[in-house]
Amino acid sequence: MANVVLIGTQWGDEGKGKIVDLLTEWAEVVVRFQGGNNAGHTLVIDGQRYALHLIPSGIMRAEKICVIGSGVVVDLNILLQEIDLLQKQCGRNVLSQLILSDEAHLILESHRRLDQAREQQRGVAKIGTTGRGIGPAYESKMARWGLRLGDLLAPEEVLQTRLRNLLDQHNEMLEKIYNEAPVSFDKVLAELKEAAAIVCPAIKKVPYELARHLKKKESILFEGAQGTLLDINHGTYPFVTSSSTLAANACASSGVGVTDIDEVIGVVKAYTTRVGSGPFPVELEDSVGEHLSVRGGEVGTTTGRLRRCGWLDMVALRYATLLNGLSSIALTKLDVLSGLEVIKVCTAYRLRGEIIDYFPSSIEDLEACEPVLEEFGGWQEDISGILDYDLLPENAKKYVTYIENQLGIEAMLVSVGPDREQTMIRHNPFVMSRDNV
Ligand code: GDP
Ligand code: IMO
Ligand code: MG
């Protein structure tokens, strides 16, 4: 038994969904703890592709419990669409596998509209959000005006009062600041009531539910969304998301103690990508960037935007290792580097003539950073069919070892393709937990 937190170490899209789906084989429960449907987690199982935004990536395994914790912001329209789609794709009703926190906040139409209106107003300074209402939903939560899933269980007049209070403010902003049409109270209320009729049985007190599983010595896998550099506190602010994406937040936002966690896995893509605006020191706008983009299929799962691509950034990864207290990494998309003569890695930044080895907090500084690059020999072979780590080309193994040495932790797995099967597990935390080493 082990409780494992898995998070992204870069700017998201590291392949978290694939690894969570794989590792769920050994866990009884999978928990999403932050973010919302700004996430896009892609799984490929026997050649069939599934894209999940809100439902945990453990859902493809029929007997597993999937939890949406209190730190998640929930758009009920998307949740219902996702439940419906999975029903069609898997031929079973996944609702019975879901537990939804009564403390999770709702994303309403007015949050989505405000997100989009604000981005438009920012013009060239836009964050490049996913437009899903994430920022405004967390604003309502922190301002203590938010609606929670638990409000759907309250008497209707309570729900109506809370909704009216929130929409009055949102509509004033939409009309007076952004010159936009207001959102209809009746429409939102009707949608909430319709969704409530379906999801209410799944709404529970998550900390007690998780405590029950912990007591039975069942394993819990916590699935991060976004990535460390999009974290609201330590990321490239203001070009970040509105939640804490770090491993520590898995505990706070789902309601388990930090002492219950055995391992923290950081998912590392073998190169770096970023969607949306913001500084990106290792960005490549040449034929290598094109190679990574095309070979890596770097198109956003949620918005369909092209992801910006660059070399691996060890400054950023060392920062992610310490921020999350990583115990190991899961290295993904190593296959995408096949065919490159030379592979470069950023080991430090040059900031206004000075070499620095830390990740700056100011975006003006980060924008002024140029990468200091170290070169490695590439390999030409297609490695996507290799299932034994020892059979990887020598240069590929050298690359993995270099990353391990730089971060001072092991790659517990190496992934060489999108399919569940295209993975070499070298150390399984659920089989080799602290309890039995
Ligand atoms: P997430 O948001 O971290 O779950 O990552 P995404 O699903 O948004 O993006 C990762 C993409 O890479 C998806 O299309 C995956 O199917 C794909 N993928 C994951 N691991 C690998 C890998 O090792 N090799 C290749 N070629 N693709 C991978
Ligand atoms: P997964 O879980 C990559 C980015 C957006 C934008 C910024 C803020 O698939 O890795 P938001 O809508 O959250 O207010 O947008 O964060 N972003 C992501 N980038 N992967 C994600 O999730 C992301 N979720 C948000 O592109 O730059
Ligand atoms: Mg993604």
Side-chain angles (χ1 to χ4, degrees):
M1 174 243 177
N3 300 310
V4 175
V5 178
L6 179 143
I7 50 87
T9 56
Q10 295 153 316
W11 277 282
D13 303 326
E14 297 89 351
K16 299 175 292 294
K18 170 188 162 158
I19 308 303
V20 168
D21 165 64
L22 178 75
L23 294 181
T24 299
E25 179 172 346
W26 294 277
E28 276 79 23
V29 183
V30 182
V31 184
R32 272 282 307 268
F33 55 91
Q34 47 68 234
N37 60 307
N38 47 350
H41 296 182
T42 315
L43 326 179
V44 181
I45 303 165
D46 296 332
Q48 170 80 38
R49 183 178 176 278
Y50 306 88
L52 297 166
H53 299 283
L54 201 48
I55 293 180
S57 301
I59 199 71
M60 302 314 297
R61 299 181 189 263
E63 69 285 11
K64 310 293 177 170
I65 304 292
C66 289
V67 177
I68 293 185
S70 81
V72 176
V73 281
V74 178
D75 185 327
L76 283 169
N77 295 321
I78 300 295
L79 182 65
L80 294 183
Q81 274 173 28
E82 214 157 274
I83 291 171
D84 261 10
L85 185 63
L86 284 168
Q87 165 107 40
K88 288 196 189 90
Q89 289 177 320
C90 314
R92 62 190 156 81
N93 181 4
V94 298
L95 191 57
S96 60
Q97 280 173 262
L98 293 181
I99 295 178
L100 313 174
S101 168
D102 56 356
E103 296 168 333
H105 278 247
L106 294 176
I107 301 181
L108 304 177
E109 186 187 334
S110 55
H111 292 117
R112 288 193 297 273
R113 294 267 308 279
L114 280 171
D115 191 4
Q116 289 154 16
R118 285 183 186 152
E119 281 285 272
Q120 208 166 4
Q121 200 187 47
R122 280 175 186 260
V124 287
K126 70 171 194 249
I127 293 167
T129 73
T130 58
R132 301 299 191 259
I134 305 296
Y138 280 115
E139 277 176 45
S140 297
K141 172 177 177 171
M142 292 306 177
R144 291 155 294 178
W145 285 110
L147 257 70
R148 305 193 296 176
L149 269 169
D151 292 330
L152 300 179
L153 306 173
E156 190 174 327
E157 56 279 15
V158 174
L159 175 65
Q160 285 207 21
T161 307
R162 291 192 177 144
L163 179 61
R164 174 106 41 215
N165 286 340
L166 189 66
L167 280 192
D168 281 352
Q169 297 179 48
H170 282 177
N171 282 336
E172 191 168 337
M173 284 193 268
L174 282 169
E175 289 181 289
K176 295 200 178 140
I177 303 178
Y178 302 107
N179 208 14
E180 296 246 354
V183 167
S184 155
F185 172 87
D186 290 339
K187 178 169 170 262
V188 175
L189 182 66
E191 278 175 8
L192 286 178
K193 282 164 56 179
E194 201 181 315
I198 301 169
V199 300
C200 273
I203 301 177
K204 303 206 171 125
K205 265 194 91 61
V206 165
Y208 290 111
E209 293 292 326
L210 295 181
R212 230 166 26 81
H213 290 285
L214 289 172
K215 199 162 176 208
K216 285 196 278 178
K217 298 249 175 267
E218 292 180 344
S219 294
I220 304 181
L221 174 57
F222 296 87
E223 174 180 6
Q226 291 78 56
T228 299
L229 304 174
L230 290 170
D231 178 70
I232 186 73
N233 296 305
H234 304 284
T236 48
Y237 190 90
F239 297 100
V240 292
T241 191
S242 297
S243 67
S244 171
T245 59
L246 302 188
N249 191 33
C251 297
S253 281
S254 54
V256 303
V258 286
T259 47
D260 286 317
I261 304 302
D262 299 289
E263 285 249 352
V264 180
I265 302 173
V267 185
V268 176
K269 194 185 291 199
Y271 49 96
T272 319
T273 60
R274 169 161 212 175
V275 204
S277 328
F280 187 19
V282 289
E283 185 164 16
L284 292 167
E285 283 166 300
D286 57 7
S287 60
V288 177
E290 177 83 6
H291 171 110
L292 299 174
S293 169
V294 173
R295 295 282 288 269
E298 296 298 351
V299 180
T301 314
T302 299
T303 55
R305 291 178 289 177
L306 283 184
R307 297 171 182 154
R308 301 151 70 192
C309 297
W311 295 119
L312 196 65
D313 186 339
M314 295 312 305
V315 183
L317 285 181
R318 290 192 302 258
Y319 190 42
T321 304
L322 72 90
L323 286 173
N324 293 293
L326 297 184
S327 39
S328 61
I329 61 164
L331 185 66
T332 60
K333 303 191 94 160
L334 191 63
D335 54 301
V336 175
L337 299 181
S338 285
L340 292 171
E341 281 303 320
V342 172
I343 296 170
K344 297 185 191 174
V345 172
C346 168
T347 55
Y349 296 146
R350 189 173 293 103
L351 174 60
R352 302 185 189 97
E354 189 194 339
I355 302 290
I356 62 167
D357 64 359
Y358 63 88
F359 195 80
S361 304
S362 124
I363 51 159
E364 287 75 25
D365 283 352
L366 195 58
E367 241 144 30
C369 282
E370 286 165 41
V372 176
L373 298 168
E374 192 169 327
E375 294 193 2
F376 292 82
W379 59 90
Q380 300 308 309
E381 302 91 315
D382 173 6
I383 59 170
S384 61
I386 296 183
L387 292 177
D388 178 350
Y389 183 80
D390 292 331
L391 299 181
L392 282 174
E394 279 313 308
N395 279 349
K397 281 190 277 190
K398 273 190 199 156
Y399 188 66
V400 178
T401 306
Y402 171 82
I403 299 168
E404 291 180 322
N405 289 341
Q406 276 273 314
L407 303 181
I409 45 179
E410 264 187 342
M412 50 74 65
L413 68 72
V414 175
S415 166
V416 289
D419 207 282
R420 194 191 260 176
E421 303 302 324
Q422 291 171 295
T423 322
M424 291 166 259
I425 299 185
R426 301 168 75 209
H427 155 94
N428 187 331
F430 293 103
V431 178
M432 293 269 299
S433 78
R434 273 205 313 235
D435 294 349
N436 46 23
V437 284

